Amino acid sequence: MQVDLIIQAKWLIPIVPSGQVLEDQAIIIKDKIIHDLCSIHDSESHFQAKQVVKLSDHAIIPGLVNAHGHSPMVLFRGMADDIPLKEWLEENIWPLEERLVDRAFVNEGASLAIAEMITSGTTCFADMYFFPDEVAKAALNARMRVQLASPVLDFPTCWAQDADEYILKATQLHDRYRDNEFVTTAFGPHAPYTVSDEPLCKVATLAEELDVPIHIHVHETLEEVEEAVKTEGRRPLQRLKDLGLISPRLNCIHVTQLLAEEIKILSHHGANVTHCPESNMKLASGFCPVSALMEQSVNVGLGTDGGASNNDLDMFSEIRSAALLAKATSGNATNIPAHQALEMATINGAKALGLDNIIGSLEIGKRADITAISLDSLNSIPINNPISTLVYAVNASQVSHVWCAGQSLLTEGKLVTLDETKIRRSALDWRQKIAES
């Protein structure tokens, strides 16, 4: 049978079924789809391909899913470090954005972020930022998957003047990309403290009508929760519940402050959580109770957050941090074993974005979004357990190949769809502009 691509590898980790590792396997790709998974021997006897890629020292996994970020903010990397969230946001980031953010900033910042994500194994990311259409252009140029969580706020910014305009632009964005292979959309109300009741209700209604997710920062810090109780007499998640937002569409970002009854509410309504461990640690925001959430069957994905608060977009680092933090905060070394941490960055993230029917695992019929990691480095040998090696030992620099919908984005560590020299030059130009602002 004639196919487009055969990838042969030492180890194949499909994610579904959970914890499975297959040796000396091949992935057969035809028309952007995973057509078959079989032994290397069968791939050579049953198929003919336009291209065969042989990776004898590699593990193959689904492309990583970065379920939350603000990609253009990578241009602010290192600009406001070592301060708490409120000061970081209100006294540093928002003033910088007011002075600098325009379409060029967003497009070129997103391009830098996308290049970084591809080289570290990510094939799909969720993004909440101004001028989301420019993020879409950057992603399409790279041939990478993105979910645009179009921002909604009560106050004016460079993107819109009021909540109605933000919501209108979000619906227009949905109409524009509704049939796009690589771009999906969501509503991105920033946080309960920046969006009032009426637009939140409107978002809940429209999300149901358009069948799209809702991304929102919620319970990010203790201060946020205490201020809500002081001013409104209820915690933010209770308010979201009262307004009808908590459902399988909801992707709750950060959630470092949760009561047991709030975990039960999220579980009962089928809501999702995206854990951003390194950003939370850097801003001293707190710790998401991942183990407790998973014990209540809450789907938990992983995100890097923005490059200004992390300060990298390396999902392998997030995977390791998530696994280690779960053990340290619970005092239980069995919490979030390696295979579960890897699932958070693949199938769980895909589910949080409503895309688990097409990506997040290596299954026949799904899109061929694939990452290959060389395990032949000194830091990762010997390979006694490939999944543990990926979670606890691998560096992002060991990512060698990346495909999205069967198209190569990274080959032998080199970007295929993007001009790295141009991206580097742009980043240096923005450094100068930021310094002069």
Side-chain angles (χ1 to χ4, degrees):
M1 181 179 180
Q2 188 68 39
V3 296
D4 299 321
L5 173 65
I6 297 174
I7 305 169
Q8 300 175 343
K10 179 61 180 174
W11 297 280
L12 189 151
I13 301 166
I15 301 298
V16 175
S18 178
Q20 186 178 71
V21 179
L22 304 172
E23 290 197 33
D24 299 319
Q25 291 287 301
I27 304 180
I28 314 300
I29 298 163
K30 183 177 175 62
D31 298 328
K32 305 179 182 180
I33 301 296
I34 298 173
H35 176 79
D36 200 3
L37 305 173
C38 61
S39 68
I40 289 175
H41 176 270
D42 285 351
S43 75
E44 294 173 340
S45 60
H46 298 332
F47 300 97
Q48 288 187 335
K50 299 173 185 176
Q51 182 185 20
V52 178
V53 178
K54 298 184 178 183
L55 303 171
S56 58
D57 298 308
H58 293 65
I60 299 294
I61 63 173
L64 300 175
V65 179
N66 185 347
H68 177 68
H70 315 277
S71 63
M73 293 182 76
V74 74
L75 292 176
F76 292 144
R77 198 187 326 250
M79 284 300 298
D81 288 345
D82 307 320
I83 53 178
L85 176 64
K86 186 177 176 65
E87 180 183 349
W88 176 85
L89 190 63
E90 296 179 3
E91 298 180 24
N92 292 272
I93 297 302
W94 283 350
L96 276 170
E97 288 178 332
E98 188 174 354
R99 294 196 300 270
L100 290 164
V101 173
D102 58 14
R103 287 189 170 276
F105 177 97
V106 171
N107 185 279
E108 293 173 37
S111 296
L112 172 60
I114 287 167
E116 181 183 352
M117 285 189 276
I118 291 172
T119 58
S120 52
T122 295
T123 57
C124 177
F125 68 106
D127 205 67
M128 182 193 290
Y129 209 65
F130 313 115
F131 301 107
D133 52 329
E134 293 293 338
V135 177
K137 290 177 187 176
L140 288 171
N141 182 54
R143 309 304 290 169
M144 184 185 188
R145 237 174 268 286
V146 63
Q147 181 163 104
L148 306 170
S150 193
V152 178
L153 296 151
D154 281 343
F155 52 82
T157 65
C158 57
W159 176 236
Q161 292 303 301
D162 56 29
D164 286 339
E165 186 180 1
Y166 287 108
I167 292 170
L168 173 62
K169 287 190 170 184
T171 59
Q172 291 171 337
L173 205 68
H174 175 76
D175 291 341
R176 180 174 176 180
Y177 291 108
R178 67 167 66 239
D179 298 317
N180 195 280
E181 161 72 13
F182 295 97
V183 180
T184 57
T185 63
F187 288 99
H190 171 259
Y193 60 87
T194 54
V195 188
S196 52
D197 285 3
E198 185 178 346
L200 284 174
C201 289
K202 191 172 182 180
V203 162
T205 300
L206 287 170
E208 189 71 25
E209 291 177 0
L210 300 176
D211 191 23
V212 299
I214 301 169
H215 295 237
I216 186 168
H217 304 89
V218 61
H219 287 220
E220 186 170 359
T221 65
L222 179 61
E223 182 181 10
E224 172 199 339
V225 176
E226 289 178 339
E227 183 64 24
V229 172
K230 180 180 176 182
T231 57
E232 299 182 25
R234 56 183 172 171
R235 291 163 66 90
L237 267 175
Q238 183 62 48
R239 177 170 162 237
L240 295 185
K241 180 178 181 294
D242 294 343
L243 295 174
L245 265 78
I246 301 183
S247 77
R249 299 188 184 286
L250 189 65
N251 188 6
C252 300
I253 315 301
H254 297 297
V255 285
T256 69
Q257 314 292 322
L258 285 178
L259 304 175
E261 54 263 37
E262 291 168 335
I263 294 175
K264 290 180 180 178
I265 289 171
L266 294 175
S267 175
H268 176 75
H269 291 277
N272 304 276
V273 165
T274 292
H275 180 30
C276 303
E278 295 188 353
S279 177
N280 291 344
M281 286 191 286
K282 181 165 178 280
L283 292 168
S285 297
F287 304 109
C288 178
V290 174
S291 300
L293 286 161
M294 288 190 170
E295 286 169 5
Q296 294 287 326
S297 300
V298 176
N299 179 60
V300 182
L302 271 182
T304 59
D305 209 4
S309 65
N310 186 305
N311 293 8
D312 60 51
L313 306 179
D314 175 359
M315 284 292 288
F316 278 103
S317 180
E318 298 295 333
I319 293 168
R320 181 159 54 250
S321 292
L324 297 178
L325 265 181
K327 302 172 195 312
T329 56
S330 67
N332 185 345
T334 67
N335 280 344
I336 313 302
H339 72 88
Q340 209 166 45
L342 193 57
E343 288 164 11
M344 291 171 68
T346 50
I347 192 66
N348 292 12
K351 184 178 180 181
L353 306 189
L355 299 175
D356 53 312
N357 61 321
I358 61 169
I359 64 169
S361 59
L362 300 178
E363 298 181 82
I364 294 171
K366 284 195 172 184
R367 304 296 192 274
D369 291 11
I370 300 164
T371 290
I373 307 99
S374 171
L375 299 186
D376 195 33
S377 298
L378 291 174
N379 61 286
S380 53
I381 58 174
I383 316 302
N384 296 308
N385 182 326
I387 295 179
S388 288
T389 298
L390 288 171
V391 172
Y392 297 120
V394 155
N395 296 319
S397 60
Q398 293 172 248
V399 173
S400 62
H401 296 70
V402 173
W403 294 265
C404 188
Q407 179 175 353
S408 176
L409 307 187
L410 188 77
T411 298
E412 299 292 347
K414 302 295 183 183
L415 291 164
V416 176
T417 55
L418 295 175
D419 184 340
E420 183 173 342
T421 300
K422 180 181 178 181
I423 290 170
R424 286 178 177 275
R425 189 182 306 120
S426 169
L428 292 175
D429 289 343
W430 278 107
R431 183 182 67 177
Q432 187 64 32
K433 291 175 186 176
I434 292 168
E436 294 172 353
S437 70

